[in-house]
Amino acid sequence: MKDLLTEIWESIRRNKLRTALTGFAVAWGIFMLIVLLGAGNGLMNAFMNQGDRFATNTMAVFGGVTSKPANGYQTGRRILLNDNDIVLTQSALFAEHVDKISPELFKGPYTLVFNNRHISAYLNGCYPTLQEMNRIEMFEGRFINQNDIQMQRKAIVLAASHAIELMNGGEDYASMIGKTVTAGGITWQVVGVYKTDRTAQRVEDFVPVTTMQVLMNETNSVDQINFSFHGLTTEEENEQFEKTYRAALNRAHKAAPDDESSIWIWNRFTQNMQMNKGTHYIRTALWVLGILTLVGGIVGVSNIMLITVKERTREFGVRKAIGASPWAVMKLILAESVSITALFGYIGMFLGMVACEVMKMTVGQSSVEFFGETVRLFVNPTVSLSISFGVTILLVVAGTLAGLSPAMKAARIRPIEALNET
């Protein structure tokens, strides 16, 4: 083993430039693969975080505008959802799949007043189940509960950003619990403060939908119906359910059952499936680009080994003439090939992981303002150690295969022909 390592070192030392260029190609290939994967992971994580605001097994339903005449009505009629649609959604017709439900009624903007401080705010009337469906995280206090709904309490859950403005700075959310604020000419008691979702189109404060309907003269009116569901695991099953559900709502509003414009359904489950498909395609493309770059380095190793065999033909002939076996010659070429790919492969891996960490500490901490919202471009743009080491081991195996053909050529050299080589 010591003699083998000595021979490899001497071969590399005699051909410094050639070895350095070959090693650079190998290191660059694995470096680019890891950086591409890291950047892709960062983009995908940021993208998935934007779509992670809602539970995936939920649907949101909105009224639209009819596009077909039906029941004596012309096209262009606005469909407004109401309490009867909530009852229909909860009925035995859809009980097989529908779990929890929450309507939403949006009003505003209103001037939200507290201790002579005024801010503009929207109110969202809802059920307690909306907290789970929209993954609302509480900082202090509680969300709307069932007693608020049944007793039509004037309870309000403030967004953290609104609470900070009303307190004129600071984050002592507990001090707001139990205080009263005014919005829309109505006095509300603060029961909780929730974490503001900065990716949302607008920041809202939540109140019981029953209270809003009564106090704001919106009885039997809702803007949106949300519900969670189960048992729909494929796109085909979801499409069939949506078709049946939309037809039922259309009939309730005297619209054509097959009119897809009168009722809009946002299925977050199928959206999540499509997002997963998209991220899979992007990651696959990144892997293909990185591996092609890596293959360039492997081809370089193979070519260099072929040149090495050509230059050392006489040497190999002498070795075989004095008793060296074909395997001994093959072992020398393979060992040199593996040494170059392993050494420079791990160098490229290390530098790639360092580059990912630099991205994480720089670009990964930055954000941009997009249509008034703060959006992070990269979230954790790194590659796991298992993938990094796995790719590098694959590179070493590829380096072995790259040196196999030159090694077999060297092993087939006949001593007499090698000694006559000029």
Side-chain angles (χ1 to χ4, degrees), residues 10-171:
E10 286 299 320
S11 176
I12 292 175
R13 187 179 62 82
R14 288 195 303 267
N15 302 280
K16 296 184 182 68
L17 179 60
R18 187 178 68 193
T19 302
L21 292 176
T22 305
F24 175 78
V26 172
W28 180 255
I30 196 166
F31 171 83
M32 287 302 300
L33 175 58
I34 290 178
V35 169
L36 281 172
L37 290 178
N41 286 339
L43 285 171
M44 292 303 100
N45 291 337
F47 180 60
M48 295 302 290
N49 278 3
Q50 302 305 317
D52 197 36
R53 294 171 45 221
F54 308 100
T56 54
N57 63 323
T58 59
M59 296 189 194
V61 185
F62 316 86
V65 178
T66 59
S67 61
K68 298 179 179 181
N71 296 294
Y73 293 98
Q74 298 299 315
T75 62
R77 179 167 59 95
R78 180 76 181 175
I79 300 298
L80 302 176
L81 300 181
N82 54 50
D83 289 347
N84 294 330
D85 297 316
I86 300 174
V87 174
L88 177 61
T89 305
Q90 292 176 308
S91 68
L93 185 62
F94 303 107
E96 181 183 356
H97 298 296
V98 174
D99 293 324
K100 300 176 181 178
I101 189 169
S102 175
E104 289 186 83
L105 180 60
F106 308 105
K107 289 297 174 183
Y110 293 113
T111 299
L112 194 60
V113 183
F114 174 74
N115 282 355
N116 295 321
R117 285 187 286 276
H118 303 71
I119 62 172
S120 179
Y122 288 86
L123 296 183
N124 182 342
C126 64
Y127 280 1
T129 48
L130 188 69
Q131 181 181 9
E132 180 182 345
M133 285 188 276
N134 284 14
R135 294 178 175 172
I136 299 170
E137 179 182 345
M138 300 301 297
F139 275 152
E140 199 67 49
R142 62 172 177 82
F143 196 68
I144 302 300
N145 62 28
Q146 195 59 36
N147 287 334
D148 296 330
I149 298 295
Q150 294 175 349
M151 300 174 66
Q152 299 177 1
R153 289 173 174 169
K154 299 177 184 178
I156 187 170
V157 180
L158 293 177
S161 58
H162 289 171
I164 292 172
E165 289 185 69
L166 293 174
M167 291 186 293
N168 197 25
E171 298 182 1

Side-chain angles (χ1 to χ4, degrees), residues 55-324:
T56 54
N57 63 323
T58 59
M59 296 189 194
V61 185
F62 316 86
V65 178
T66 59
S67 61
K68 298 179 179 181
N71 296 294
Y73 293 98
Q74 298 299 315
T75 62
R77 179 167 59 95
R78 180 76 181 175
I79 300 298
L80 302 176
L81 300 181
N82 54 50
D83 289 347
N84 294 330
D85 297 316
I86 300 174
V87 174
L88 177 61
T89 305
Q90 292 176 308
S91 68
L93 185 62
F94 303 107
E96 181 183 356
H97 298 296
V98 174
D99 293 324
K100 300 176 181 178
I101 189 169
S102 175
E104 289 186 83
L105 180 60
F106 308 105
K107 289 297 174 183
Y110 293 113
T111 299
L112 194 60
V113 183
F114 174 74
N115 282 355
N116 295 321
R117 285 187 286 276
H118 303 71
I119 62 172
S120 179
Y122 288 86
L123 296 183
N124 182 342
C126 64
Y127 280 1
T129 48
L130 188 69
Q131 181 181 9
E132 180 182 345
M133 285 188 276
N134 284 14
R135 294 178 175 172
I136 299 170
E137 179 182 345
M138 300 301 297
F139 275 152
E140 199 67 49
R142 62 172 177 82
F143 196 68
I144 302 300
N145 62 28
Q146 195 59 36
N147 287 334
D148 296 330
I149 298 295
Q150 294 175 349
M151 300 174 66
Q152 299 177 1
R153 289 173 174 169
K154 299 177 184 178
I156 187 170
V157 180
L158 293 177
S161 58
H162 289 171
I164 292 172
E165 289 185 69
L166 293 174
M167 291 186 293
N168 197 25
E171 298 182 1
D172 184 14
Y173 303 125
S175 66
M176 287 296 296
I177 305 302
K179 297 292 196 300
T180 58
V181 298
T182 302
I186 301 169
T187 300
W188 306 85
Q189 184 177 43
V190 179
V191 296
V193 177
Y194 77 95
K195 182 179 180 181
T196 305
D197 181 5
R198 296 191 178 278
T199 64
Q201 292 183 351
R202 64 188 182 193
V203 179
E204 301 164 341
D205 301 307
F206 297 100
V207 299
V209 65
T210 51
T211 308
M212 180 183 284
Q213 286 177 324
V214 170
L215 297 182
M216 298 184 176
N217 197 27
E218 292 288 348
T219 304
N220 196 36
S221 176
V222 295
D223 293 314
Q224 178 177 325
I225 298 174
N226 305 281
F227 61 88
S228 58
F229 61 89
H230 68 279
L232 305 175
T233 57
T234 66
E235 288 193 44
E236 292 74 17
E237 290 174 343
N238 279 270
E239 288 174 1
Q240 183 57 46
F241 175 85
E242 290 176 31
K243 182 178 179 181
T244 303
Y245 179 70
R246 180 183 286 110
L249 288 186
N250 280 340
R251 282 192 289 268
H253 289 273
K254 302 186 183 304
D258 60 344
D259 191 343
E260 296 186 356
S261 297
S262 55
I263 299 293
W264 290 92
I265 300 176
W266 175 18
N267 190 328
R268 292 151 184 166
F269 179 80
T270 54
Q271 174 186 277
N272 188 64
M273 292 177 65
Q274 293 164 358
M275 288 174 63
N276 287 336
K277 284 183 181 179
T279 57
H280 172 72
Y281 293 144
I282 292 175
R283 285 197 172 101
T284 300
L286 292 173
W287 270 100
V288 170
L289 289 174
I291 289 175
L292 289 176
T293 305
L294 198 61
V295 167
I298 299 302
V299 171
V301 172
S302 180
N303 290 336
I304 290 301
M305 291 299 103
L306 285 170
I307 295 172
T308 298
V309 170
K310 179 67 175 176
E311 290 179 347
R312 300 173 66 183
T313 299
R314 288 177 64 84
E315 175 191 334
F316 295 146
V318 172
R319 286 174 181 269
K320 296 186 73 174
I322 61 178

Side-chain angles (χ1 to χ4, degrees), residues 345-399:
Y346 278 101
I347 290 174
M349 181 198 75
F350 174 75
L351 294 177
M353 294 183 69
V354 169
C356 287
E357 288 298 323
V358 171
M359 278 197 297
K360 180 179 179 181
M361 293 184 293
T362 54
V363 182
Q365 303 300 319
S366 62
S367 58
V368 297
E369 290 292 328
F370 188 71
F371 289 106
E373 300 295 338
T374 302
V375 179
R376 291 182 64 183
L377 297 178
F378 283 83
V379 175
N380 193 26
T382 56
V383 180
S384 67
L385 281 174
S386 59
I387 291 179
S388 298
F389 279 105
V391 169
T392 308
I393 291 172
L394 179 64
L395 174 67
V396 174
V397 173

